Amino acid sequence: GSDVTWEVDNGTLKISGGTLDDQTHPWDHNDSITNVKITGTLHLDGDAPTYMFAQLPNVTNIDLTNIDTSNATKMYGMFSDDHSLTTVNLEKLNTSKVVDMNGMFYRTGFTSLTNIPLDTRNVTDMYWMFLGMTKLQHISFGKDFLTNNVQNMGGMFSEDSALHTLDLSQFDLRTYAKFDYGTETGMFFDTPNLWKLTLGPDTTMIKEMTLPNVPGDGRAMPDNPNYKNTAPYWVPVNDGTDYAPDNKGKQYSSDDLM
């Protein structure tokens, strides 16, 4: 049910306050919408956030200031296929009860996502969560982005063809590593520009993640063209720097890491 009203005014989707407890989103596929504003307190309960703002190809900014997701359990595809989206105040989302973030940012337009402030302690599904974000160069995660209960991360960063750096140091992948999804899309499938990967003590890598091979063909490094990738290996930085690592004689192929 819903007591929510909406209108599009000069490119801005205005959604009233009220309560949504189902997936009624009549504004999707509207290519005239460039901004979203919630005018009163909007309660999204259960799976109501699923595809809530999806398939708005020209939306660039979504203001979540008045949103209440404290009783939401699913955010499947919430912003998916918003190819122009670059600004969302994600800190306004209460995700403490959410279990499903499958495809939440699928094919969105962000170039960077920094310290993602989502509480994912109860999330079990992150399949395709950031897949196909072809403009995304950097991504990092806030302290509450926990993965110890996640069972499915297939394709999580797949097809992020511009992704340069990825810090997984706080990711606990021991639960995920126990599950065998066979031919599912690998977590890192088609990420050819990934050159810096930060791992932590519980970042258990498995072959199904399909970490791409390091090219080692002399191409310029994505973040600093003064340096070139000259060998087909990942090397530990240790006490060195990103461009002058102190690898202590160690080097690893992608297969070695998985």
Side-chain angles (χ1 to χ4, degrees):
S2 172
D3 56 357
V4 175
T5 61
W6 65 282
E7 64 173 339
V8 178
D9 180 13
N10 197 26
T12 297
L13 170 63
K14 296 179 180 180
I15 305 173
S16 73
T19 300
L20 271 179
D21 57 13
D22 59 22
Q23 297 174 35
T24 303
H25 313 132
W27 48 80
D28 62 6
H29 292 94
N30 188 326
D31 60 8
S32 71
I33 296 171
T34 56
N35 294 279
V36 176
K37 185 174 181 60
I38 300 168
T39 59
T41 302
L42 178 62
H43 304 276
L44 299 182
D45 297 341
D47 64 358
T50 294
Y51 294 124
M52 175 78 184
F53 303 108
Q55 298 174 324
L56 300 175
N58 294 313
V59 72
T60 61
N61 175 69
I62 296 176
D63 183 357
L64 300 176
T65 298
N66 292 316
I67 206 163
D68 174 13
T69 55
S70 57
N71 288 312
T73 56
K74 293 187 177 182
M75 293 185 173
Y76 188 112
M78 188 172 184
F79 307 104
S80 61
D81 286 308
D82 291 351
H83 307 301
S84 303
L85 182 62
T86 57
T87 306
V88 181
N89 46 349
L90 294 172
E91 70 277 4
K92 301 298 182 181
L93 289 178
N94 182 332
T95 57
S96 60
K97 295 181 181 178
V98 175
V99 297
D100 189 348
M101 292 185 175
N102 186 320
M104 187 171 178
F105 299 95
Y106 175 89
R107 302 201 189 287
T108 50
F110 294 91
T111 57
S112 178
L113 283 170
T114 305
N115 294 325
I116 296 174
L118 300 178
D119 177 351
T120 60
R121 74 183 86 172
N122 291 311
V123 176
T124 60
D125 191 346
M126 292 183 178
Y127 190 71
W128 285 15
M129 187 171 180
F130 305 102
L131 184 143
M133 297 177 65
T134 56
K135 301 173 187 175
L136 185 69
Q137 296 184 17
H138 305 285
I139 185 169
S140 59
F141 303 91
K143 62 181 177 59
D144 295 320
F145 198 100
L146 305 175
T147 60
N148 49 299
N149 287 314
V150 180
Q151 300 173 11
N152 194 350
M153 289 182 171
M156 188 172 181
F157 306 104
S158 181
E159 299 177 27
D160 293 351
S161 53
L163 186 63
H164 295 172
T165 63
L166 184 58
D167 185 346
L168 301 179
S169 58
Q170 71 184 42
F171 274 39
D172 183 342
L173 301 183
R174 290 174 295 177
T175 295
Y176 171 64
K178 294 176 184 176
F179 290 82
D180 179 9
Y181 290 94
T183 58
E184 72 169 18
T185 307
M187 182 187 286
F188 303 109
F189 176 75
D190 194 15
T191 52
N193 285 299
L194 183 63
W195 70 272
K196 181 180 178 181
L197 185 62
T198 307
L199 306 178
D202 297 319
T203 314
T204 305
M205 304 284 283
I206 57 176
K207 66 182 185 337
E208 286 83 6
M209 293 178 179
T210 58
L211 187 66
N213 292 323
V214 180
D217 58 3
R219 70 181 66 181
M221 300 298 284
D223 286 336
N224 191 332
N226 294 320
Y227 292 85
K228 291 180 169 53
N229 170 224
T230 58
Y233 299 105
W234 298 89
V235 294
V237 173
N238 293 315
D239 297 325
T241 65
D242 289 349
Y243 297 104
D246 176 20
N247 68 334
K248 302 187 187 304
K250 301 288 187 180
Q251 58 187 21
Y252 306 97
S253 69
S254 291
D255 286 342
D256 291 336
L257 292 178
M258 296 183 291

